Amino acid sequence: MVSEHFSAEAVELLKQLIATPRISRNEDAAVALFTHFIEEKGLAVEREANNIWVVADGYDSSRPTLLLNAHIDTVKPVAAWTRDPFTPIVEDNRLYGLGSNDDGASLVSLLQAFRILAAKPQAYNLIFLATAEEEVSGGEGVARALKRLPPISLALVGEPTGMQPAIAEKGLMVLDCTAKGRAGHAARNEGINAIYEALPDIEWFHTYRFKQESPLLGPVKMTVTIINAGTQHNVVPDHCTFTVDVRSNECYSNEDIYNKVCESVQCDVKARSFRLGSSRIDPNHPLVRRALALGPTANGLPRAPFGSPTLSDQAQMPFPSMKMGPGESSRSHTADEYIELREIEQAIHDYVAMLDGLQ
């Protein structure tokens, strides 16, 4: 197990981060705090917007480069908190506070693992990257930072997975659809009701199934989540807009799915972005094998690779990546979010054991 010093230091740093609001697109104060901590350890920090990174000494462009990534931002606190979300409190060996689980525990654990690994020679270059705007998939987050980094061969993304290796992750595409009609008086048999025009397309999204299903991620999932139409009760609406949340598997690119949608529905369809694609890593990759060789998790569960339904910065990484971190996804974005202190200690140990000597 890693020294108590590293884990205790990580917990104290996380307490400071909890006490420093860092909601997406407003991470400045937390970035300053985090930067100060790193620089106090004698490491040189580089920054692009609210993304900061550290490159381990001895960088050699002829070697592969491993990226350790976690995000510094949080969602807004939900109304059901029974504690102050910005006051770190330890009760029964649990640290409560907004962002303690998502993604503070991974952030501080990966930083400590970076410091330990960077202190000895490795067969790879090592970079630690703390990113902004992950919770909103913002353009000023990981995508902006990656433009400044040297070529990356492999990434380990810290997210709350119970330290289970997520070797695939669903992508996201949001579609804005518009069905058109013609306005008329509701009391007379006139006009073309755009709501009725939209119904067959909404039903198509509800019932259509893409043929290829992933053994890890399952089928592509399309869900109509927002519908808007009409201006008043006695006017036949001439427009009906609806939004579709699309979660892609690794069998289809977002562009593939979009093209199929456009071929199949009558409404106008616009994709907000194609950039948040599904990601995966070979199940036989050395990083995956190292993760599985660690033995049981802190909760005593056997380790097994899985596919994650939730989005992370992986979606914007054009290189192999694996997601793995302390905490549980079920605690994320919830009231009274917490991380168990032993999960941080175990995470630092597991990260070092998994990455030290990786070939």
Side-chain angles (χ1 to χ4, degrees):
M1 192 64 68
V2 297
S3 72
E4 291 183 5
H5 168 74
F6 279 102
S7 57
E9 197 174 55
V11 170
E12 288 306 310
L13 176 58
L14 181 51
K15 288 179 180 179
Q16 294 178 49
L17 287 170
I18 291 170
T20 309
R22 56 193 196 282
I23 294 165
S24 298
R25 297 194 173 102
N26 292 281
E27 310 97 343
D28 303 68
V31 170
L33 183 155
F34 202 54
T35 298
H36 178 71
F37 176 88
I38 296 172
E39 290 178 338
E40 277 196 327
K41 305 304 175 185
L43 300 171
V45 177
E46 297 186 64
R47 179 170 179 170
E48 178 70 23
N50 276 336
N51 309 284
I52 60 173
W53 65 91
V54 186
V55 180
D57 289 342
Y59 178 86
D60 181 346
S61 61
S62 67
R63 298 187 304 178
T65 297
L66 171 63
L67 178 70
L68 307 182
N69 164 246
H71 65 90
I72 200 166
D73 62 313
T74 72
V75 296
K76 295 178 180 179
V78 297
W81 274 83
T82 64
R83 301 168 168 82
D84 180 354
F86 302 110
T87 299
I89 298 174
V90 176
E91 294 178 3
D92 298 324
N93 292 312
R94 292 177 174 180
L95 173 57
Y96 290 87
L98 182 65
S100 55
N101 178 78
D102 183 15
D103 192 33
S106 291
L107 186 72
V108 297
S109 298
L110 277 173
L111 174 61
Q112 298 297 66
F114 170 88
R115 292 175 57 204
I116 296 168
L117 292 163
K120 57 189 298 189
Q122 303 291 345
Y124 51 82
N125 302 308
L126 187 61
I127 299 176
F128 169 79
L129 170 65
T131 44
E133 297 193 7
E134 189 273 349
E135 294 290 5
V136 293
S137 300
E140 298 298 297
V142 66
R144 180 166 173 174
L146 289 177
K147 294 176 182 178
R148 292 278 312 276
L149 297 184
I152 305 299
S153 308
L154 174 68
L156 176 61
V157 178
E159 288 279 352
T161 69
M163 290 303 286
Q164 296 283 9
I167 65 172
E169 178 184 272
K170 278 197 168 181
L172 169 66
M173 178 173 59
V174 179
L175 302 178
D176 292 310
C177 305
T178 303
K180 297 178 181 178
R182 187 176 71 248
H185 198 297
R188 295 191 291 269
N189 188 23
E190 62 183 28
I192 299 174
N193 194 317
I195 295 175
Y196 299 155
E197 294 297 300
L199 288 177
D201 290 343
I202 292 172
E203 180 65 12
W204 182 86
F205 282 111
H206 176 57
T207 59
Y208 184 78
R209 298 292 180 267
F210 284 85
K211 291 181 180 179
Q212 297 186 62
E213 296 193 9
S214 164
L216 288 166
L217 298 174
V220 173
K221 190 173 187 299
M222 300 188 292
T223 308
V224 176
T225 54
I226 302 171
I227 301 176
N228 286 293
T231 56
Q232 58 190 61
H233 77 90
N234 56 354
V235 178
V236 173
D238 59 0
H239 282 76
C240 178
T241 62
F242 59 96
T243 301
V244 186
D245 179 288
V246 181
R247 303 289 168 155
S248 54
N249 61 25
E250 76 275 23
C251 304
Y252 300 92
S253 69
N254 285 336
E255 291 87 346
D256 292 336
I257 297 170
Y258 176 77
N259 290 334
K260 179 62 180 177
V261 168
C262 291
E263 292 171 4
S264 305
V265 300
Q266 298 302 309
C267 61
D268 295 332
V269 182
K270 292 184 179 180
R272 295 183 187 177
S273 170
F274 296 121
R275 64 192 176 92
L276 303 176
S278 177
S279 60
R280 69 179 299 274
I281 189 171
D282 190 322
N284 294 313
H285 192 284
L287 180 63
V288 179
R289 295 202 304 267
R290 279 287 194 106
L292 297 178
L294 290 171
T297 68
N299 294 323
L301 299 175
R303 284 185 221 253
F306 75 102
S308 173
T310 57
L311 202 69
S312 76
D313 276 338
Q314 279 185 289
Q316 301 184 66
M317 294 181 177
F319 39 78
S321 59
M322 186 179 81
K323 182 165 70 177
M324 179 173 168
E328 299 293 342
S329 182
S330 58
R331 301 177 203 156
S332 301
H333 306 182
T334 63
D336 298 335
E337 178 185 355
Y338 69 88
I339 188 73
E340 296 184 8
L341 301 185
R342 66 190 175 100
E343 291 175 318
I344 293 176
E345 182 179 15
Q346 186 71 45
I348 299 171
H349 170 271
D350 287 353
Y351 283 144
V352 173
M354 181 170 60
L355 300 175
D356 192 13
L358 178 69
Q359 297 293 325

